[in-house]
Amino acid sequence: MIIRHVTIDCADPHQLASFWHTVTGWPLSDEDPDDDYALLIAPPPVPGLLFIKVPEGKAVKNRIHFDWMPTDRTRDQEVEHLIALGATLYEDHRTAEGRGWVTLRDPEGNEFCVERSESERGHDTP
C-alpha cells in the first residue's frame, strides 16, 4: 500500500493549491477541473496534495502537518521566502545555537514547519 494523496480540507481549493504550487513548484493537475478540488502533482514517490472544498472553517490546531526541509536555501531564508508568499509566523522554535524549526501557517491557517536544510545540519542527528 502507498499514500497516493495527502488531502487538505479548505475553503478555496484553487487559491490554496496555487499557494502551495508557488512554494513547491509542483504542477497543478488540469485533469477534470472542478471548483470543489485542486490537485498538486508531486514528483514520485512523494504523494500529491489534494485540496478539497469543505463548508466549515478551520477551528483548531492541525492534528497532522508537514515538516519541510529546504533544498536550495537555509531554514531562515526559506521562512522569509514563505512569509513573502503569504504564510504567517505561528511559533518560532529556533535556538540561540542555530538549531530548531519555525512553525508557519498557510493562507487558510494550516500549520506547517520549516526545518534546517541538509547543509545546515552537518553531522547533527535529525
mmCIF file of all heavy atoms in Angstrom, residues 19-53:
data_model
loop_
_atom_site.group_PDB
_atom_site.id
_atom_site.type_symbol
_atom_site.label_atom_id
_atom_site.label_comp_id
_atom_site.label_asym_id
_atom_site.label_seq_id
_atom_site.Cartn_x
_atom_site.Cartn_y
_atom_site.Cartn_z
ATOM 1 N N PHE A 19 -1.048 28.656 -3.822
ATOM 2 C CA PHE A 19 -0.018 28.995 -2.838
ATOM 3 C C PHE A 19 1.010 27.871 -2.764
ATOM 4 O O PHE A 19 2.216 28.107 -2.871
ATOM 5 C CB PHE A 19 -0.655 29.239 -1.464
ATOM 6 C CG PHE A 19 0.360 29.331 -0.347
ATOM 7 C CD1 PHE A 19 1.075 30.503 -0.139
ATOM 8 C CD2 PHE A 19 0.590 28.258 0.497
ATOM 9 C CE1 PHE A 19 2.007 30.589 0.895
ATOM 10 C CE2 PHE A 19 1.515 28.331 1.527
ATOM 11 C CZ PHE A 19 2.231 29.507 1.726
ATOM 12 N N TRP A 20 0.540 26.627 -2.581
ATOM 13 C CA TRP A 20 1.464 25.501 -2.440
ATOM 14 C C TRP A 20 2.198 25.197 -3.748
ATOM 15 O O TRP A 20 3.339 24.740 -3.720
ATOM 16 C CB TRP A 20 0.745 24.273 -1.881
ATOM 17 C CG TRP A 20 0.489 24.444 -0.411
ATOM 18 C CD1 TRP A 20 -0.692 24.728 0.205
ATOM 19 C CD2 TRP A 20 1.476 24.405 0.623
ATOM 20 N NE1 TRP A 20 -0.501 24.857 1.558
ATOM 21 C CE2 TRP A 20 0.820 24.661 1.846
ATOM 22 C CE3 TRP A 20 2.850 24.177 0.641
ATOM 23 C CZ2 TRP A 20 1.489 24.691 3.063
ATOM 24 C CZ3 TRP A 20 3.523 24.196 1.853
ATOM 25 C CH2 TRP A 20 2.845 24.454 3.041
ATOM 26 N N HIS A 21 1.581 25.471 -4.880
ATOM 27 C CA HIS A 21 2.273 25.350 -6.170
ATOM 28 C C HIS A 21 3.467 26.306 -6.204
ATOM 29 O O HIS A 21 4.571 25.931 -6.619
ATOM 30 C CB HIS A 21 1.312 25.645 -7.321
ATOM 31 C CG HIS A 21 1.998 25.981 -8.599
ATOM 32 N ND1 HIS A 21 2.666 25.045 -9.362
ATOM 33 C CD2 HIS A 21 2.152 27.168 -9.245
ATOM 34 C CE1 HIS A 21 3.194 25.643 -10.421
ATOM 35 N NE2 HIS A 21 2.889 26.926 -10.362
ATOM 36 N N THR A 22 3.257 27.538 -5.753
ATOM 37 C CA THR A 22 4.336 28.526 -5.730
ATOM 38 C C THR A 22 5.430 28.099 -4.757
ATOM 39 O O THR A 22 6.617 28.251 -5.035
ATOM 40 C CB THR A 22 3.790 29.920 -5.354
ATOM 41 O OG1 THR A 22 2.763 30.270 -6.284
ATOM 42 C CG2 THR A 22 4.872 30.972 -5.389
ATOM 43 N N VAL A 23 5.037 27.536 -3.627
ATOM 44 C CA VAL A 23 6.007 27.081 -2.622
ATOM 45 C C VAL A 23 6.834 25.913 -3.142
ATOM 46 O O VAL A 23 8.068 25.900 -3.026
ATOM 47 C CB VAL A 23 5.278 26.683 -1.314
ATOM 48 C CG1 VAL A 23 6.216 25.944 -0.365
ATOM 49 C CG2 VAL A 23 4.676 27.907 -0.636
ATOM 50 N N THR A 24 6.170 24.902 -3.713
ATOM 51 C CA THR A 24 6.859 23.655 -4.082
ATOM 52 C C THR A 24 7.360 23.612 -5.517
ATOM 53 O O THR A 24 8.282 22.862 -5.825
ATOM 54 C CB THR A 24 5.923 22.447 -3.898
ATOM 55 O OG1 THR A 24 4.820 22.595 -4.797
ATOM 56 C CG2 THR A 24 5.430 22.326 -2.465
ATOM 57 N N GLY A 25 6.688 24.349 -6.406
ATOM 58 C CA GLY A 25 6.988 24.242 -7.829
ATOM 59 C C GLY A 25 6.305 23.056 -8.491
ATOM 60 O O GLY A 25 6.468 22.822 -9.685
ATOM 61 N N TRP A 26 5.529 22.284 -7.726
ATOM 62 C CA TRP A 26 4.827 21.128 -8.270
ATOM 63 C C TRP A 26 3.685 21.612 -9.161
ATOM 64 O O TRP A 26 2.995 22.575 -8.831
ATOM 65 C CB TRP A 26 4.275 20.238 -7.173
ATOM 66 C CG TRP A 26 5.307 19.692 -6.221
ATOM 67 C CD1 TRP A 26 6.663 19.692 -6.380
ATOM 68 C CD2 TRP A 26 5.053 19.094 -4.967
ATOM 69 N NE1 TRP A 26 7.270 19.117 -5.295
ATOM 70 C CE2 TRP A 26 6.308 18.733 -4.409
ATOM 71 C CE3 TRP A 26 3.902 18.812 -4.253
ATOM 72 C CZ2 TRP A 26 6.420 18.112 -3.176
ATOM 73 C CZ3 TRP A 26 4.014 18.193 -3.023
ATOM 74 C CH2 TRP A 26 5.261 17.839 -2.494
ATOM 75 N N PRO A 27 3.446 20.933 -10.283
ATOM 76 C CA PRO A 27 2.391 21.386 -11.199
ATOM 77 C C PRO A 27 0.986 21.090 -10.672
ATOM 78 O O PRO A 27 0.754 20.104 -9.968
ATOM 79 C CB PRO A 27 2.662 20.593 -12.476
ATOM 80 C CG PRO A 27 3.395 19.371 -12.022
ATOM 81 C CD PRO A 27 4.192 19.780 -10.803
ATOM 82 N N LEU A 28 0.075 21.971 -11.048
ATOM 83 C CA LEU A 28 -1.348 21.760 -10.782
ATOM 84 C C LEU A 28 -1.907 20.846 -11.863
ATOM 85 O O LEU A 28 -1.622 21.037 -13.045
ATOM 86 C CB LEU A 28 -2.097 23.088 -10.821
ATOM 87 C CG LEU A 28 -1.938 23.977 -9.603
ATOM 88 C CD1 LEU A 28 -2.288 25.413 -9.932
ATOM 89 C CD2 LEU A 28 -2.815 23.461 -8.478
ATOM 90 N N SER A 29 -2.697 19.879 -11.467
ATOM 91 C CA SER A 29 -3.331 18.986 -12.434
ATOM 92 C C SER A 29 -4.422 19.742 -13.173
ATOM 93 O O SER A 29 -5.160 20.524 -12.584
ATOM 94 C CB SER A 29 -3.951 17.786 -11.712
ATOM 95 O OG SER A 29 -4.720 17.022 -12.613
ATOM 96 N N ASP A 30 -4.510 19.499 -14.480
ATOM 97 C CA ASP A 30 -5.592 20.101 -15.262
ATOM 98 C C ASP A 30 -6.650 19.052 -15.609
ATOM 99 O O ASP A 30 -7.573 19.308 -16.362
ATOM 100 C CB ASP A 30 -5.061 20.778 -16.517
ATOM 101 C CG ASP A 30 -4.288 19.828 -17.423
ATOM 102 O OD1 ASP A 30 -4.188 18.628 -17.105
ATOM 103 O OD2 ASP A 30 -3.778 20.294 -18.453
ATOM 104 N N GLU A 31 -6.512 17.872 -15.026
ATOM 105 C CA GLU A 31 -7.458 16.788 -15.263
ATOM 106 C C GLU A 31 -8.738 17.042 -14.473
ATOM 107 O O GLU A 31 -8.694 17.315 -13.268
ATOM 108 C CB GLU A 31 -6.824 15.468 -14.802
ATOM 109 C CG GLU A 31 -7.624 14.250 -15.148
ATOM 110 C CD GLU A 31 -6.865 12.985 -14.750
ATOM 111 O OE1 GLU A 31 -5.700 12.850 -15.134
ATOM 112 O OE2 GLU A 31 -7.466 12.160 -14.051
ATOM 113 N N ASP A 32 -9.874 16.983 -15.142
ATOM 114 C CA ASP A 32 -11.179 17.180 -14.501
ATOM 115 C C ASP A 32 -11.222 18.430 -13.625
ATOM 116 O O ASP A 32 -11.453 18.343 -12.420
ATOM 117 C CB ASP A 32 -11.563 15.963 -13.648
ATOM 118 C CG ASP A 32 -11.695 14.705 -14.466
ATOM 119 O OD1 ASP A 32 -12.140 14.803 -15.628
ATOM 120 O OD2 ASP A 32 -11.345 13.634 -13.951
ATOM 121 N N PRO A 33 -10.988 19.622 -14.206
ATOM 122 C CA PRO A 33 -11.042 20.820 -13.369
ATOM 123 C C PRO A 33 -12.408 20.947 -12.692
ATOM 124 O O PRO A 33 -13.441 20.663 -13.292
ATOM 125 C CB PRO A 33 -10.805 21.964 -14.340
ATOM 126 C CG PRO A 33 -10.838 21.394 -15.700
ATOM 127 C CD PRO A 33 -10.800 19.911 -15.612
ATOM 128 N N ASP A 34 -12.396 21.337 -11.439
ATOM 129 C CA ASP A 34 -13.611 21.383 -10.638
ATOM 130 C C ASP A 34 -13.421 22.459 -9.572
ATOM 131 O O ASP A 34 -12.326 22.624 -9.052
ATOM 132 C CB ASP A 34 -13.817 20.005 -9.997
ATOM 133 C CG ASP A 34 -15.147 19.858 -9.302
ATOM 134 O OD1 ASP A 34 -15.499 20.732 -8.487
ATOM 135 O OD2 ASP A 34 -15.823 18.858 -9.562
ATOM 136 N N ASP A 35 -14.494 23.164 -9.232
ATOM 137 C CA ASP A 35 -14.398 24.183 -8.193
ATOM 138 C C ASP A 35 -14.237 23.585 -6.800
ATOM 139 O O ASP A 35 -13.857 24.280 -5.874
ATOM 140 C CB ASP A 35 -15.648 25.066 -8.204
ATOM 141 C CG ASP A 35 -15.690 25.975 -9.417
ATOM 142 O OD1 ASP A 35 -14.627 26.206 -10.028
ATOM 143 O OD2 ASP A 35 -16.790 26.448 -9.753
ATOM 144 N N ASP A 36 -14.556 22.302 -6.652
ATOM 145 C CA ASP A 36 -14.547 21.683 -5.336
ATOM 146 C C ASP A 36 -13.226 21.024 -4.953
ATOM 147 O O ASP A 36 -13.079 20.571 -3.830
ATOM 148 C CB ASP A 36 -15.673 20.657 -5.228
ATOM 149 C CG ASP A 36 -17.046 21.316 -5.219
ATOM 150 O OD1 ASP A 36 -17.132 22.518 -4.859
ATOM 151 O OD2 ASP A 36 -18.019 20.642 -5.572
ATOM 152 N N TYR A 37 -12.290 20.946 -5.876
ATOM 153 C CA TYR A 37 -10.990 20.373 -5.525
ATOM 154 C C TYR A 37 -9.911 20.855 -6.493
ATOM 155 O O TYR A 37 -10.192 21.338 -7.584
ATOM 156 C CB TYR A 37 -11.024 18.843 -5.486
ATOM 157 C CG TYR A 37 -11.149 18.187 -6.846
ATOM 158 C CD1 TYR A 37 -10.013 17.857 -7.577
ATOM 159 C CD2 TYR A 37 -12.382 17.889 -7.389
ATOM 160 C CE1 TYR A 37 -10.115 17.258 -8.826
ATOM 161 C CE2 TYR A 37 -12.495 17.281 -8.635
ATOM 162 C CZ TYR A 37 -11.353 16.978 -9.342
ATOM 163 O OH TYR A 37 -11.451 16.385 -10.570
ATOM 164 N N ALA A 38 -8.668 20.727 -6.049
ATOM 165 C CA ALA A 38 -7.497 21.017 -6.882
ATOM 166 C C ALA A 38 -6.395 20.056 -6.441
ATOM 167 O O ALA A 38 -6.290 19.717 -5.260
ATOM 168 C CB ALA A 38 -7.054 22.459 -6.710
ATOM 169 N N LEU A 39 -5.592 19.614 -7.386
ATOM 170 C CA LEU A 39 -4.557 18.625 -7.114
ATOM 171 C C LEU A 39 -3.194 19.146 -7.555
ATOM 172 O O LEU A 39 -3.033 19.605 -8.682
ATOM 173 C CB LEU A 39 -4.865 17.315 -7.854
ATOM 174 C CG LEU A 39 -3.799 16.224 -7.793
ATOM 175 C CD1 LEU A 39 -3.590 15.735 -6.368
ATOM 176 C CD2 LEU A 39 -4.178 15.072 -8.715
ATOM 177 N N LEU A 40 -2.218 19.062 -6.649
ATOM 178 C CA LEU A 40 -0.818 19.308 -6.989
ATOM 179 C C LEU A 40 -0.162 17.962 -7.196
ATOM 180 O O LEU A 40 -0.308 17.057 -6.373
ATOM 181 C CB LEU A 40 -0.088 20.018 -5.843
ATOM 182 C CG LEU A 40 -0.210 21.514 -5.727
ATOM 183 C CD1 LEU A 40 0.668 22.013 -4.587
ATOM 184 C CD2 LEU A 40 0.139 22.219 -7.001
ATOM 185 N N ILE A 41 0.564 17.828 -8.283
ATOM 186 C CA ILE A 41 1.224 16.564 -8.614
ATOM 187 C C ILE A 41 2.669 16.620 -8.138
ATOM 188 O O ILE A 41 3.477 17.400 -8.641
ATOM 189 C CB ILE A 41 1.162 16.314 -10.134
ATOM 190 C CG1 ILE A 41 -0.303 16.325 -10.593
ATOM 191 C CG2 ILE A 41 1.849 15.006 -10.482
ATOM 192 C CD1 ILE A 41 -0.465 16.383 -12.089
ATOM 193 N N ALA A 42 2.972 15.798 -7.157
ATOM 194 C CA ALA A 42 4.314 15.753 -6.590
ATOM 195 C C ALA A 42 5.192 14.798 -7.385
ATOM 196 O O ALA A 42 4.692 13.886 -8.045
ATOM 197 C CB ALA A 42 4.247 15.301 -5.135
ATOM 198 N N PRO A 43 6.509 14.989 -7.323
ATOM 199 C CA PRO A 43 7.397 14.049 -8.004
ATOM 200 C C PRO A 43 7.380 12.693 -7.290
ATOM 201 O O PRO A 43 7.424 12.648 -6.066
ATOM 202 C CB PRO A 43 8.779 14.713 -7.893
ATOM 203 C CG PRO A 43 8.669 15.641 -6.737
ATOM 204 C CD PRO A 43 7.223 16.055 -6.637
ATOM 205 N N PRO A 44 7.263 11.599 -8.036
ATOM 206 C CA PRO A 44 7.243 10.270 -7.413
ATOM 207 C C PRO A 44 8.521 10.039 -6.601
ATOM 208 O O PRO A 44 9.566 10.525 -6.994
ATOM 209 C CB PRO A 44 7.189 9.318 -8.601
ATOM 210 C CG PRO A 44 6.673 10.145 -9.736
ATOM 211 C CD PRO A 44 7.136 11.540 -9.470
ATOM 212 N N PRO A 45 8.432 9.368 -5.499
ATOM 213 C CA PRO A 45 7.307 8.661 -4.896
ATOM 214 C C PRO A 45 6.519 9.505 -3.886
ATOM 215 O O PRO A 45 5.753 8.962 -3.103
ATOM 216 C CB PRO A 45 7.981 7.489 -4.188
ATOM 217 C CG PRO A 45 9.259 8.097 -3.680
ATOM 218 C CD PRO A 45 9.682 9.072 -4.776
ATOM 219 N N VAL A 46 6.686 10.806 -3.892
ATOM 220 C CA VAL A 46 6.001 11.685 -2.946
ATOM 221 C C VAL A 46 4.512 11.754 -3.301
ATOM 222 O O VAL A 46 4.161 11.888 -4.470
ATOM 223 C CB VAL A 46 6.628 13.108 -2.988
ATOM 224 C CG1 VAL A 46 5.899 14.069 -2.068
ATOM 225 C CG2 VAL A 46 8.114 13.046 -2.648
ATOM 226 N N PRO A 47 3.627 11.672 -2.297
ATOM 227 C CA PRO A 47 2.195 11.776 -2.605
ATOM 228 C C PRO A 47 1.819 13.192 -3.025
ATOM 229 O O PRO A 47 2.426 14.167 -2.580
ATOM 230 C CB PRO A 47 1.508 11.393 -1.284
ATOM 231 C CG PRO A 47 2.523 11.593 -0.233
ATOM 232 C CD PRO A 47 3.872 11.426 -0.878
ATOM 233 N N GLY A 48 0.808 13.298 -3.884
ATOM 234 C CA GLY A 48 0.304 14.596 -4.293
ATOM 235 C C GLY A 48 -0.448 15.264 -3.161
ATOM 236 O O GLY A 48 -0.778 14.639 -2.146
ATOM 237 N N LEU A 49 -0.737 16.552 -3.334
ATOM 238 C CA LEU A 49 -1.540 17.298 -2.365
ATOM 239 C C LEU A 49 -2.897 17.580 -3.002
ATOM 240 O O LEU A 49 -2.977 18.259 -4.035
ATOM 241 C CB LEU A 49 -0.851 18.609 -1.987
ATOM 242 C CG LEU A 49 0.519 18.491 -1.326
ATOM 243 C CD1 LEU A 49 1.081 19.879 -1.025
ATOM 244 C CD2 LEU A 49 0.449 17.654 -0.061
ATOM 245 N N LEU A 50 -3.940 17.055 -2.399
ATOM 246 C CA LEU A 50 -5.294 17.207 -2.903
ATOM 247 C C LEU A 50 -6.055 18.154 -1.979
ATOM 248 O O LEU A 50 -6.184 17.891 -0.782
ATOM 249 C CB LEU A 50 -5.991 15.847 -2.956
ATOM 250 C CG LEU A 50 -7.420 15.816 -3.451
ATOM 251 C CD1 LEU A 50 -7.532 16.341 -4.882
ATOM 252 C CD2 LEU A 50 -7.978 14.398 -3.345
ATOM 253 N N PHE A 51 -6.520 19.264 -2.528
ATOM 254 C CA PHE A 51 -7.241 20.278 -1.768
ATOM 255 C C PHE A 51 -8.730 20.132 -2.064
ATOM 256 O O PHE A 51 -9.140 20.211 -3.218
ATOM 257 C CB PHE A 51 -6.736 21.672 -2.150
ATOM 258 C CG PHE A 51 -5.276 21.838 -1.876
ATOM 259 C CD1 PHE A 51 -4.330 21.499 -2.842
ATOM 260 C CD2 PHE A 51 -4.831 22.298 -0.653
ATOM 261 C CE1 PHE A 51 -2.969 21.631 -2.594
ATOM 262 C CE2 PHE A 51 -3.470 22.424 -0.386
ATOM 263 C CZ PHE A 51 -2.544 22.087 -1.359
ATOM 264 N N ILE A 52 -9.518 19.907 -1.019
ATOM 265 C CA ILE A 52 -10.948 19.642 -1.143
ATOM 266 C C ILE A 52 -11.730 20.759 -0.442
ATOM 267 O O ILE A 52 -11.443 21.091 0.712
ATOM 268 C CB ILE A 52 -11.319 18.289 -0.486
ATOM 269 C CG1 ILE A 52 -10.564 17.135 -1.123
ATOM 270 C CG2 ILE A 52 -12.819 18.066 -0.512
ATOM 271 C CD1 ILE A 52 -11.044 16.729 -2.475
ATOM 272 N N LYS A 53 -12.726 21.288 -1.130
ATOM 273 C CA LYS A 53 -13.575 22.327 -0.561
ATOM 274 C C LYS A 53 -14.518 21.722 0.480
ATOM 275 O O LYS A 53 -15.176 20.717 0.220
ATOM 276 C CB LYS A 53 -14.387 23.007 -1.660
ATOM 277 C CG LYS A 53 -15.200 24.174 -1.175
ATOM 278 C CD LYS A 53 -15.871 24.859 -2.350
ATOM 279 C CE LYS A 53 -16.543 26.138 -1.897
ATOM 280 N NZ LYS A 53 -17.005 26.915 -3.057
#
